[in-house]
Amino acid sequence: MRLLRRFIVFAFLLFETFAFKEYLLKTCGESGFCNRNRHYANNIKNSKNIYYNLDPKSINYDSKLNLLTASVIKTIPGQEFEVFEDDEQTSFQTTKTDDKFIELPITINFLKDIGVRFTLNEKRDISLDNINIDYLNYNRYNETSNWAFDSKILSDNDINLSFTHTFDKKKNNLKIIPNNDKSIEIVIHLKDSFTIDVYYNSQLALTINDKLLLNIEHFRSEEENQLNLVPEESSFGSFEDVFQYSKDDTLPIGPESVALDVTIHGSNDVYGLPEHADSLRLKDTSDTEPYRLYNVDVFEYTLMSKMPMYGAIPLMISNHDNKFWSGIFWNNPADTWIDIKYGNKETSTHWISEAGIIDIVLMFSDMPNQITKKFTTLTGNPTLPLLSSIGYHQCRWNYNDEIDVLTVNAEMDRNQIPYDFIWLDLEYTDDRKYFTWKPNSFSNPKRLLKNLQKFGRQLVVLIDPHIKDGYEISDKLRENDVAVKDHNNNPYTGICWPGKSLWIDSFSKIGSSIWNSFFKKFLYKSVNNLFIWNDMNEPSVFDGPETSAPKDVLYDGGFEGRSVHNVYGMTLHESTYDSLKEFYSEYDKRPFVLTRAFYAGSQRTSAVWTGDNVATWDYLKVSIPMVLSNNIVGYPFIGADIAGFSGDPEEELVVRWYQAGVWYPFFRAHAHIDSKRREPYLFKEPIKSIIRDVIQLRYKLLPTLYTLFQESSIDGSPIMSPMIFNKPQYKEFVDVDDQFYMGNSGILVKPVTEKGIENIDMLFAPGVYYNFYTLESFVIKGDKIESKSIVAPFNKLPFFIEGGNILTLRENMRRSSILMHNDPYTLLVAPDKNGNANGSIYIDDGVTFAYEKGTYLKSSFKLIDGNKMVGEVDHLCEDIKSLGNVEIREIKIANTELKKKFKDYLVVKQDGEEYKVKVDVEDDKYVRIMNPRIKLNNKWEILF
Ligand code: NOJ
């Protein structure tokens, strides 16, 4: 028996190691609730029958809460059936059951600086007669917002704006307008059907339930199921799951899906809904599978696919004919499918979730990045990471022992390849028991950490949510009753890396504090450079249905996984983050946590990566739209494994992947245990130097990148930003997803993602563009987008700075970012055609939370009409010393024409002083102001 079990475990491990099989996942047709809702949609299209109405008498406005409540009534028409009158069954009578009415409470409110929120729940009769499992929570899960929304939103009493509602008896509609924001107007139609029109600046933007696809599968018993269906519905998979890998699902509550359609007017371009290995602009799904959001483990995932992946952010961003933008946030963490149909100047969307409530927030703006901003106002701004964590990360499954780690560390230095983080995957543990170290290989972790700290480096180790059964940690889960439960309310066990495992229930407050106590024992007080990687937290279960936990597992409060699945990963990484934050509180150090699974809100506490990709050109290519997609939904700290997790990449691919990956906000190389070693220094020349140059470039650009991270941390703005987000006025950019800007820095990039290519076609909007390396420029005249062929040599990927911008650089090369703390800055000025340029820099200590109390410097600088440069201090703090060196060592202005205006010296005015500085022209390409002795914490001016 034991042998057989071992064999099964081994077989599953093999499965994990060898490739993801798409057939393990359901198609919509195989998924009960998706199948039923598509079926319903097809039938309603023809019948146009109406089953949902808002009862006008139920409308109530609570002026204290600024909340409108009402009841939507679902009517199930009575059904006729025949009853035999005699025993011989010769005559019968036709009888009819009564109509059934289901009450669905609706709420409407306006959230300040965000948009309008609708919720629709079900008033369930869960009196004891109707339920038979006492530990199961029969209510619809209504707590997602507690996880997804920012704590500030949850605690802000003034978040709900007051609004006026007027009932028009004649038209039978209800008009709702917020009192302080006239840009939104809502009209709820009560006659004939229940539809909601949402106007933005008087234009019809969205219609809810336009196609009558609203469907709330209300609570009923299996025996009475038939009587609870309307003719357009089917009962496929309502009480049993027929999919071969999830047949054991007990479906204790029966059908309980929620679905709704939203028509997006004037739009043929919608984006968002990560995570999918697909194009940035979402595709029409009429003849294919819908996009699915269900966190699962998809080793070597399929490309250009709508299948689910590790994370889920149900935010769709729509471009209304390049005139304005909207966002639809479907806040539901259950298994969710979304159909998209592009029509004539409108897009129909159909949202289908297996359980929970309808909770949608609609947002509008003239600019796309404002939708992201509104979304992160709601779900929290992205974390401001440790400055070191935006440097280079060297990872591999696995670095085998302390000597191995220190050898990599030394080799990186010997080869002058800067890096900040080194990682330990699974095998550093003692027999895959998390919170332990493999005794002989890592006999003295503190010594290792101290050693790395000398070089300013950090170590990340993997801790997953599955806990091997039968050691101290799993005993604690059992003792404290904080393991995820199976449908019988016993600790759920399944197979993952360590074999038979339990899962921590991080939904539970007690679970979370137990998790925290594990870290207290595991981390070291005297060193603070140990951080955590939460992997496999979808959760991944090797012997579970669709690679994950069964949907009928139970979490805190008796809720099924069915209702909360996509939030689980976030509860885990948030709990890890809180543990680290508390543990390192005496250092006030920002934690670093990497997660694989995510939901809306994950951006507040963690970085993420795109999971198990493959070392092929196609995976390199898809990484760009994947990273862009997360960036537009407010989760910018993301990257893909460089140069492909599994397989052995050819040298050309390695180089091109580093050249693309240097722009990922999270810049990490990682490799599968079966792949050959490929640390950058192992390559022969010239490959090694090319990679070294790329990594050094990242370090050179750290001041610009860190400033982008800081901006994103206050407004959610994308760091890797799609063309259409930066230049929404150009239709040509609507589906460009292989070229991008770095935030608003003016850096414009198109990585090479094809083999054997040394030329790329790039699109440029009107303006001036400078090659970063040579500072040679060209001008795009007129008002049209132009395509230009660009030489993209293997040894140096070109990228451009758009005229009008000033980059900040640190040009001294060091071994790690921390060692650059006292290095001065360079300003690289790229003037626009009128000789103007703008830039700014954010500087803090890069490590602590002192910035939250104002210990940071923000300066901006301008080139004005090619006549002078000025610097302003936008925010200053007392403890300027903690920010390191804040001096400008050099200013490079990419315009030699300027030279005509001055001789060899320029006059600098700063802090009441006036002095001359030397100026030069380099290579006929740029003017160079050497050692201007300018301090960024002063106001300054240079006159030409
Ligand atoms: C799966 C992760 O996606 C991968 O990055 C990691 O190396 C393996 N688990 C082993 O921990």
Side-chain angles (χ1 to χ4, degrees):
M1 186 61 197
R2 258 177 76 188
L3 252 176
L4 177 71
R5 229 180 15 233
R6 285 230 175 113
F7 171 74
I8 295 173
V9 173
F10 180 65
F12 281 118
L13 293 187
L14 272 185
F15 142 67
E16 234 302 313
T17 319
F18 289 116
F20 174 72
K21 310 277 186 305
E22 231 176 287
Y23 62 76
L24 292 171
L25 296 182
K26 292 172 183 176
T27 60
C28 175
E30 289 163 336
S31 151
F33 74 97
C34 188
N35 182 317
R36 296 196 296 276
N37 278 288
R38 265 193 167 179
H39 174 93
Y40 184 69
N42 275 334
N43 289 342
I44 283 282
K45 194 163 63 192
N46 302 324
S47 74
K48 300 257 179 330
N49 279 336
I50 288 159
Y51 299 108
Y52 294 84
N53 279 293
L54 192 144
D55 173 9
K57 290 196 293 300
S58 66
I59 298 168
N60 179 47
Y61 179 63
D62 182 330
S63 55
K64 264 207 197 119
L65 295 176
N66 292 320
L67 184 76
L68 189 133
T69 56
S71 295
V72 172
I73 306 297
K74 174 180 180 185
T75 307
I76 317 287
Q79 293 178 23
E80 281 187 352
F81 53 108
E82 289 149 1
V83 184
F84 291 105
E85 284 182 319
D86 52 354
D87 290 348
E88 285 78 43
Q89 305 194 347
T90 47
S91 62
F92 54 83
Q93 216 185 11
T94 307
T95 52
K96 194 176 173 216
T97 57
D98 292 340
D99 289 355
K100 263 180 185 285
F101 303 102
I102 317 295
E103 191 180 335
L104 307 169
I106 183 171
T107 69
I108 302 174
N109 60 317
F110 289 87
L111 301 166
K112 190 167 68 190
D113 300 328
I114 298 168
V116 56
R117 179 181 183 196
F118 299 86
T119 69
L120 190 61
N121 203 334
E122 174 192 356
K123 206 165 171 191
R124 275 186 180 168
D125 177 12
I126 47 170
S127 55
L128 282 178
D129 300 348
N130 283 333
I131 64 168
N132 45 26
I133 308 175
D134 57 1
Y135 48 80
L136 178 66
N137 196 326
Y138 282 81
N139 289 305
R140 286 184 178 270
Y141 186 69
N142 188 8
E143 289 164 34
T144 314
S145 50
N146 291 342
W147 294 104
F149 291 7
D150 190 47
S151 56
K152 281 194 228 92
I153 299 285
L154 295 169
S155 60
D156 181 357
N157 294 330
D158 298 328
I159 185 77
N160 289 342
L161 298 177
S162 69
F163 56 94
T164 311
H165 68 289
T166 8
F167 183 58
D168 185 332
K169 267 200 175 151
K170 244 198 194 153
K171 290 191 186 146
N172 210 352
N173 68 26
L174 182 69
K175 203 179 254 179
I176 304 179
I177 305 174
N179 293 336
N180 289 321
D181 177 5
K182 299 281 178 262
S183 66
I184 301 189
E185 184 182 317
I186 294 185
V187 179
I188 305 185
H189 300 277
L190 308 180
K191 198 179 163 201
D192 300 335
S193 72
F194 164 58
T195 58
I196 305 177
D197 287 328
V198 187
Y199 294 81
Y200 175 63
N201 287 337
S202 306
Q203 288 191 51
L204 181 58
L206 305 173
T207 302
I208 296 174
N209 199 28
D210 192 28
K211 310 281 188 292
L212 305 174
L213 306 188
L214 170 63
N215 185 24
I216 309 279
E217 293 184 314
H218 61 277
F219 186 50
R220 81 285 304 259
S221 67
E222 189 166 2
E223 298 72 50
E224 297 208 330
N225 188 37
Q226 209 52 42
L227 293 176
N228 283 279
L229 296 177
V230 301
E232 290 81 357
E233 281 184 285
S234 92
S235 58
F236 174 79
S238 290
F239 290 88
E240 62 166 349
D241 190 335
V242 291
F243 183 61
Q244 62 166 322
Y245 299 107
S246 50
K247 277 201 182 98
D248 295 337
D249 188 353
T250 52
L251 279 152
I253 302 185
E256 52 171 342
S257 73
V258 295
L260 185 68
D261 68 273
V262 182
T263 298
I264 306 163
H265 299 284
S267 176
N268 275 138
D269 306 295
V270 302
Y271 308 86
L273 302 183
E275 184 177 32
H276 296 100
D278 206 356
S279 53
L280 177 69
R281 179 179 175 271
L282 299 171
K283 300 201 173 103
D284 188 296
T285 62
S286 319
D287 301 320
T288 63
E289 289 295 296
Y291 283 97
R292 185 179 180 197
L293 293 173
Y294 187 59
N295 294 358
V296 282
D297 183 353
V298 282
F299 179 70
E300 297 187 346
Y301 41 86
T302 311
L303 299 182
M304 292 302 139
S305 158
K306 300 168 184 93
M307 76 183 202
M309 294 188 64
Y310 311 95
I313 300 189
L315 171 68
M316 180 184 279
I317 300 180
S318 307
N319 173 0
H320 295 254
D321 208 16
N322 296 63
K323 293 196 182 87
F324 68 93
W325 293 71
S326 67
I328 303 170
F329 176 41
W330 176 266
N331 185 23
N332 188 316
D335 189 0
T336 296
W337 302 75
I338 303 108
D339 260 321
I340 297 170
K341 187 171 173 49
Y342 289 118
N344 183 19
K345 288 254 162 211
E346 68 168 40
T347 302
S348 309
T349 59
H350 185 195
W351 304 71
I352 308 166
S353 287
E354 183 168 15
I357 64 164
I358 292 183
D359 181 356
I360 49 172
V361 179
L362 309 177
M363 295 152 274
F364 302 93
S365 175
D366 291 350
M367 300 298 280
N369 57 5
Q370 290 300 308
I371 301 294
T372 313
K373 179 173 177 174
K374 284 168 190 247
F375 184 61
T376 53
T377 303
L378 178 68
T379 60
N381 282 322
T383 181
L384 176 62
L386 289 165
L387 171 59
S388 53
S389 69
I390 68 170
Y392 175 61
H393 297 250
Q394 185 60 51
C395 184
R396 163 170 191 91
W397 180 18
N398 221 79
Y399 292 123
N400 301 321
D401 50 31
E402 188 174 345
I403 295 185
D404 197 0
V405 174
L406 292 175
T407 309
V408 175
N409 185 60
E411 284 299 315
M412 294 291 279
D413 286 348
R414 207 169 63 80
N415 290 280
Q416 293 172 3
I417 303 170
Y419 90 95
D420 271 87
F421 277 59
I422 189 153
W423 293 57
L424 289 178
D425 204 325
L426 192 53
E427 320 302 343
Y428 77 94
T429 55
D430 179 11
D431 207 15
R432 299 182 170 180
K433 293 186 285 213
Y434 302 117
F435 302 100
T436 68
W437 299 81
K438 193 179 261 169
N440 295 325
S441 315
F442 294 97
S443 57
N444 193 344
K446 204 155 125 186
R447 179 177 62 203
L448 171 63
L449 287 161
K450 278 200 163 147
N451 238 321
L452 291 170
Q453 204 160 37
K454 276 198 252 157
F455 302 86
R457 292 191 173 125
Q458 331 279 324
L459 180 72
V460 181
V461 299
L462 175 119
I463 290 192
D464 292 354
H466 52 259
I467 303 294
K468 187 179 172 82
D469 199 10
Y471 78 112
E472 195 192 336
I473 300 285
S474 55
D475 294 347
K476 285 259 163 56
L477 298 193
R478 286 184 195 273
E479 279 160 29
N480 291 284
D481 197 23
V482 291
V484 176
K485 305 279 181 48
D486 65 16
H487 68 271
N488 290 316
N489 211 28
N490 298 317
Y492 165 71
T493 57
I495 307 290
C496 206
W497 293 127
K500 186 178 173 198
S501 304
L502 295 143
W503 273 260
I504 172 80
D505 181 356
S506 37
F507 276 96
S508 134
K509 282 223 165 68
I510 306 174
S512 206
S513 73
I514 303 277
W515 192 245
N516 181 310
S517 71
F518 298 157
F519 282 103
K520 282 197 177 120
K521 277 187 132 180
F522 180 67
L523 301 170
Y524 297 90
K525 277 274 180 214
S526 53
V527 273
N528 60 21
N529 56 340
L530 178 57
F531 294 109
I532 303 298
W533 171 13
N534 285 152
D535 187 13
M536 315 289 275
N537 53 339
E538 296 73 30
S540 168
V541 182
F542 295 163
D543 59 344
E546 301 195 87
T547 77
S548 192
K551 285 181 171 170
D552 55 9
V553 293
L554 299 171
Y555 291 97
D556 188 44
F559 287 104
E560 281 194 282
R562 187 181 327 281
S563 302
V564 302
H565 179 84
N566 289 345
V567 178
Y568 175 69
M570 181 162 90
T571 67
L572 184 90
H573 74 71
E574 284 198 344
S575 186
T576 302
Y577 178 92
D578 292 343
S579 307
L580 293 182
K581 188 166 178 189
E582 190 188 320
F583 192 83
Y584 291 135
S585 60
E586 70 184 76
Y587 301 98
D588 197 26
K589 193 163 179 176
R590 298 173 215 167
F592 174 83
V593 178
L594 180 77
T595 180
R596 193 171 71 176
F598 58 88
Y599 187 70
S602 283
Q603 73 275 5
R604 297 183 298 247
T605 51
S606 69
V608 65
W609 90 109
T610 64
D612 297 343
N613 58 4
V614 185
T616 68
W617 290 92
D618 287 343
Y619 280 85
L620 165 59
K621 197 182 192 117
V622 84
S623 73
I624 310 286
M626 288 182 78
V627 170
L628 288 173
S629 247
N630 262 59
N631 269 265
I632 64 170
V633 301
Y635 198 1
F637 200 12
I638 180 171
D641 284 347
I642 300 166
F645 176 58
S646 50
D648 295 310
E650 56 187 305
E651 286 179 346
E652 186 185 350
L653 178 59
V654 174
V655 165
R656 289 309 196 187
W657 211 315
Y658 272 96
Q659 288 175 345
V662 73
W663 306 109
Y664 300 154
F666 174 57
F667 182 35
R668 185 184 76 152
H670 183 34
H672 191 278
I673 197 162
D674 294 337
S675 63
K676 293 196 192 108
R677 294 289 281 239
R678 46 168 130 117
E679 288 63 41
Y681 54 81
L682 293 176
F683 291 92
K684 291 206 192 74
E685 292 296 358
I687 307 296
K688 181 164 77 181
S689 292
I690 300 174
I691 300 174
R692 178 201 296 123
D693 287 353
V694 174
I695 298 177
Q696 289 190 350
L697 169 69
R698 174 81 174 203
Y699 280 81
K700 204 181 264 187
L701 288 169
L702 279 184
T704 298
L705 296 179
Y706 194 54
T707 301
L708 294 182
F709 268 91
Q710 190 272 338
E711 282 162 6
S712 184
S713 80
I714 54 173
D715 67 7
S717 47
I719 292 174
M720 232 172 94
S721 182
M723 299 303 289
I724 190 69
F725 262 56
N726 282 46
K727 310 250 178 223
Q729 67 273 38
Y730 294 108
K731 292 203 163 108
E732 292 83 343
F733 289 145
V734 291
D735 59 4
V736 174
D737 61 11
D738 53 1
Q739 181 181 320
F740 51 85
Y741 279 98
M742 291 305 287
N744 60 6
S745 68
I747 295 178
L748 178 62
V749 190
K750 177 167 174 174
V752 174
T753 55
E754 268 171 63
K755 189 176 162 61
I757 299 286
E758 294 235 320
N759 269 287
I760 44 172
D761 289 333
M762 278 183 80
L763 295 175
F764 296 90
V768 190
Y769 296 87
Y770 299 83
N771 178 309
F772 176 81
Y773 298 104
T774 63
L775 292 182
E776 276 165 343
S777 64
F778 59 87
V779 180
I780 305 291
K781 295 207 182 94
D783 55 6
K784 297 226 160 46
I785 302 289
E786 269 182 35
S787 171
K788 259 179 107 61
S789 173
I790 303 294
V791 186
F794 178 60
N795 59 356
K796 213 168 221 172
L797 174 82
F799 67 94
F800 297 91
I801 318 170
E802 185 173 358
N805 294 287
I806 303 176
L807 302 186
T808 51
L809 315 172
R810 261 181 165 160
E811 299 196 284
N812 293 352
M813 270 310 118
R814 308 273 176 199
R815 285 176 287 185
S816 67
S817 68
I818 289 179
L819 304 178
M820 298 165 84
H821 194 61
N822 291 316
D823 289 337
Y825 294 91
T826 298
L827 300 190
L828 181 53
V829 184
D832 66 12
K833 63 176 191 323
N834 301 319
N836 292 318
N838 285 298
S840 66
I841 189 166
Y842 169 83
I843 307 173
D844 62 18
D845 63 22
V847 178
T848 74
F849 286 100
Y851 70 89
E852 285 183 346
K853 299 194 192 85
T855 308
Y856 66 89
L857 173 67
K858 183 111 198 194
S859 295
S860 49
F861 12 81
K862 277 190 191 128
L863 171 71
I864 304 173
D865 301 331
N867 280 329
K868 62 176 178 180
M869 275 200 77
V870 294
E872 297 281 344
V873 182
D874 304 324
H875 179 93
L876 188 60
C877 60
E878 269 176 25
D879 185 11
I880 199 84
K881 264 209 183 123
S882 67
L883 314 184
N885 193 340
V886 294
E887 195 167 319
I888 301 176
R889 183 185 56 187
E890 190 175 316
I891 301 177
K892 292 177 189 165
I893 308 177
N895 181 351
T896 47
E897 289 296 296
L898 287 178
K899 179 70 172 107
K900 292 181 192 145
K901 296 196 179 176
F902 43 77
K903 301 229 167 70
D904 291 341
Y905 289 91
L906 284 177
V907 176
V908 177
K909 286 187 190 173
Q910 177 185 214
D911 203 17
E913 260 191 88
E914 229 181 275
Y915 52 90
K916 286 180 174 173
V917 291
K918 202 167 170 314
V919 69
D920 236 337
V921 170
E922 289 284 326
D923 302 338
D924 266 355
K925 301 282 166 16
Y926 63 92
V927 169
R928 185 171 178 205
I929 305 171
M930 265 113 62
N931 199 13
R933 304 199 301 278
I934 289 170
K935 291 252 166 92
L936 286 160
N937 54 331
N938 287 334
K939 205 172 154 138
W940 54 272
E941 201 175 307
I942 303 180
L943 302 171
F944 298 163

